[in-house]
Amino acid sequence: QVQLAESGGGLVQAGGSLTLSCVVSGIGRDSVLGWFRQVPGKEREFVSATTWSGGSTPYADSVKGRFTISRDRAKNTLYLQMNSLKPEDTAVYYCAARRNRIIVGVWARPDVYDYWGQGTQVTVSS
């Protein structure tokens, strides 16, 4: 049974930083883990992804150079370090997991992920 639980969201001023955490269980080294975000009325948007064993870490162009995805296998935790936050980063952020490996080229598609966390709200004030 795969379980995901995000935390770390909150209110921050533009230019500030936040680190989101996602405690994971029930996944294997080939599992793909991703961060997505969603604002009301819009589709869920890819932010970044990686595998539990490490390796590729693609980013959405909108966050490249500002956000960093990482994982600590000893703590069973996936992280998203967010720096230089902008008001347009305001969204509910979700952690997602796919149990089995899949090509990197589709990691940005929400439909390839089997499991989702409950989401954590990030609000960036101007």
Side-chain angles (χ1 to χ4, degrees), residues 13 20 22 28 55-56 73 81 85-86 89 109 114 121:
Q13 287 189 331
L20 305 183
C22 177
S56 299
R73 292 172 63 180
Q81 173 68 43
L85 282 161
K86 305 175 181 180
D89 294 318
R109 288 171 38 186
D114 307 306
Q121 176 71 47

Side-chain angles (χ1 to χ4, degrees), residues 44-79:
R44 197 159 291 188
E45 177 189 18
F46 172 77
V47 175
S48 184
T50 188
T51 60
W52 196 232
S53 61
S56 299
T57 54
Y59 293 90
D61 288 343
S62 59
V63 307
K64 203 170 294 182
R66 300 187 297 122
F67 290 11
T68 303
I69 191 172
S70 63
R71 84 277 183 271
D72 186 330
R73 292 172 63 180
K75 295 183 178 180
N76 290 325
T77 303
L78 178 74
Y79 300 100

